């Protein structure tokens, strides 16, 4: 039960309390660029959720077996070369380059796969999938997971990593869809000329970020509620 | 062996192997999941002007090219490209250019500001879309509001507001339909221009005669005189006549003239580019002096109403 509570807390934490866009300010480019209409914004959000889950899955695998301190593969190589079992080999310096590499190639792969087998999905995702390759929210999710895998006291497994990725993706979808809804209404408003376009969008984003600060501290209440619910 | 050396070698090996593995997977996938794309699509796309105006009814030029390659549509739909473009597309597809008449926007209202009655002062935002939300800006709930949303939407600078009525410059109009999409009253339509000048119904008011007279000096009163003279060409949609452009033949000028003459409110207009005869007819008339901008009054203080 404790694990389940922890998973739900990670999920809610990534989606609402520490929303990727509105708390960490990652993934701002699509947040401002593709938020003119609600339906395209929602499509972008879904595509990001999809890619973030897949790339976090792959990156967790690489981190767990190769990159983290004390990972099995480097340890095996080190010991078969005659090294002592006490020394740990830490390859986590490679995290950035490997994560970017994995994200880019998995997006490529997913694009080809979807194009071949789900043409309608490809049509609706089409434009956004390649854009996501350089979306920093995706890299951020993998780096957050890495943080929790570097010291072995509280080692994250695959469920925790996926809960974070899914929560982050859904939080991104929520933020970008809300933003698009506000911007659709803004088109009808009398915005001062100097603030039109990016100016008012950034102000709106800032106000939204402040509003999302209201979720701070919710985790305590959620934890208590879940504790009594799942007992 | 020192740890650093092993770590370095491992890093290099991991990256190298990963690169090889990913390259192999992607190369395999690109062949395995290959989708046979029609090579004509690229050619078609190159032949289209790339304005992405949406005038053909598709989202952008690439989608129109795709639909052409699939044979879902005809080549003559690209308004900015015109006849040359249709010919190029037809050459690529190996088909004949069917009759391609360009579509041009037509404003179905012809009342200038002082001809519209029951107007009230409107101090809100100077856009049609806002003014349309307010009752009583003008008596006619169908006609042009004259705040120029269409002129703003026009990428080709073909619309001007003349005397409170949006007026289309047919030298510049390419028929993309951007204006008809933004008009909150839906009074701009695209009409197939079978000739340089086309007859159109220049009113959108579908109310009964007394109501039209109360709000407009020139609006169509729905007397059906036109439909009696040319029952095939003109059909009545409620109290408003509609020209059937499928049957419209610019050569039969007599039929058109009879409709034009019969209308008691003179709501049939010829719009389009002036012909040589028209220009000759007004050649000796004196044109009014060109109006130049008065820079003291062009500072726009109507935008900000904070």
């Amino acid at each position: 039960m404790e694990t389940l509570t922890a998973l739900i807390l990670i999920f809610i934490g990534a989606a609402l309390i520490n929303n990727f866009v509105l708390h960490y300010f990652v993934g701002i480019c699509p947040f401002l660029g593709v938020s003119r209409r609600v339906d395209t914004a929602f499509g972008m959000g879904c595509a990001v959720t999809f890619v973030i889950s897949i790339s976090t899955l792959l990156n967790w695998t690489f981190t767990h077996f190769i990159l983290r301190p004390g990972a099995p593969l480097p340890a095996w190589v080190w010991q078969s070369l005659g090294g002592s079992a006490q020394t740990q080999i830490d390859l986590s310096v490679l995290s950035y380059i490997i994560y970017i590499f994995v994200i880019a190639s998995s997006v490529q792969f997913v694009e080809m796969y979807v194009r071949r087998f789900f043409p309608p999905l490809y049509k609706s995702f089409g434009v956004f999938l390649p854009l996501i390759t350089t979306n920093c929210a995706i890299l951020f999710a993998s780096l957050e997971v890495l943080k929790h895998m570097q010291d072995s006291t509280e080692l994250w497994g695959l469920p925790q990593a996926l809960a974070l990725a899914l929560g982050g993706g859904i939080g991104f979808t929520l933020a970008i869809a809300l933003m698009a809804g506000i911007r659709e209404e803004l088109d009808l408003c009398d915005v001062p000329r100097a603030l039109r376009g990016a100016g008012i969008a950034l102000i709106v984003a800032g106000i939204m970020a402040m509003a999302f600060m209201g979720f701070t501290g919710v985790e305590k209440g959620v934890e208590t509620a879940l504790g009594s619910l799942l007992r | 062996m020192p740890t650093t050396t092993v770590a370095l070698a491992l890093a290099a090996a991991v990256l190298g192997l990963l690169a090889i593995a990913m390259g192999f997977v992607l190369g395999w996938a690109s062949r395995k999941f290959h989708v046979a794309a029609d090579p004509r699509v690229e050619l078609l796309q190159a032949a289209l002007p790339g304005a992405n105006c949406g005038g053909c009814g598709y989202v952008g030029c690439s989608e129109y090219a795709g639909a052409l390659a699939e044979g879902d549509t005809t080549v003559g739909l690209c308004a900015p490209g015109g006849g040359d473009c249709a010919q190029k597309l037809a050459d690529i597809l190996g088909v004949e250019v069917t009759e391609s008449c360009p579509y041009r926007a037509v404003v179905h209202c012809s009342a200038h500001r002082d001809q519209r009655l029951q107007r009230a002062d409107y101090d809100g935002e100077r856009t049609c879309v806002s003014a349309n939300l307010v009752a009583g800006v003008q008596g006619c709930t169908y006609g042009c509001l004259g705040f120029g949303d269409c002129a703003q939407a026009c990428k080709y600078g073909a619309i001007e507001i003349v005397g409170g009525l949006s007026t289309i410059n047919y030298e510049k109009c390419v028929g993309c339909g951007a204006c008809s999409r933004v008009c909150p009253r839906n009074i701009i339509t695209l009409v197939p221009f079978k000739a340089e000048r086309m007859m159109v119904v220049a009113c959108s008011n579908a109310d009964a005669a007394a109501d039209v007279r109360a709000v407009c000096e020139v609006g169509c009163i729905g007397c059906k005189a036109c439909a009696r003279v040319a029952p095939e060409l003109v059909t009545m949609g409620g109290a408003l006549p509609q020209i059937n452009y499928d049957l419209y033949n610019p050569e039969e000028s007599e039929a058109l003239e009879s409709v034009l003459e019969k209308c008691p409110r003179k709501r049939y207009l010829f719009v389009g580019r002036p012909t040589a005869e028209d220009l000759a007819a007004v050649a000796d008339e004196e044109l009014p002096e060109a109006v130049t901008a008065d820079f003291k009054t062009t500072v726009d203080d109507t935008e900000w109403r904070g």
Side-chain angles (χ1 to χ4, degrees), chain B residues 74-88:
Chain B
T74 53
V75 290
L77 295 184
C78 184
D84 296 350
C85 174
Q87 188 58 52
K88 271 190 227 159

Side-chain angles (χ1 to χ4, degrees), chain A residues 62 66 74 77-78 87 89 91 94 97-98 101 105 108-109 112-113 115-117 188-190 192-193 196, chain B residues 1-3 6-7 10-11 14-15 18-19 22 25-26 29-30 32-35 125 129 300 303-305:
Chain A
F62 279 110
I66 302 172
V77 172
W78 173 242
T87 337
I89 291 186
L91 287 183
L94 289 179
I97 190 164
I98 288 204
F101 192 76
S105 35
Q108 278 289 313
F109 184 84
M112 285 189 265
Y113 185 81
R115 184 171 185 198
R116 179 80 169 86
F117 294 107
L188 301 176
C189 291
D190 195 3
R193 181 168 278 176
R196 279 183 196 167
Chain B
M1 218 183 282
T3 331
V6 175
L10 261 174
V14 163
L15 271 179
L18 198 63
M22 285 296 185
V25 167
L26 285 182
S30 79
K32 177 81 180 169
F33 301 146
H34 181 69
V35 180
E125 202 192 353
V129 70
D300 188 0
E303 291 281 347
W304 169 240
R305 290 172 184 278

Side-chain angles (χ1 to χ4, degrees), chain A residues 18-43:
Chain A
N18 300 326
N19 188 293
F20 279 19
V21 178
L22 297 170
H23 184 265
Y24 290 114
F25 300 117
V26 292
I28 293 289
C29 354
F31 180 66
L32 294 177
V34 203
S35 61
R36 282 189 191 280
R37 292 171 47 83
V38 171
D39 49 351
T40 48
F42 187 72

Side-chain angles (χ1 to χ4, degrees), chain A residues 124-145:
Chain A
S124 52
F125 273 6
V127 204
F128 302 126
L129 270 180
L131 279 179
I132 292 169
T133 317
T134 49
N135 184 339
C136 44
I138 317 262
L139 180 64
F140 178 78
S142 295
L143 289 174
E144 276 294 287
V145 172

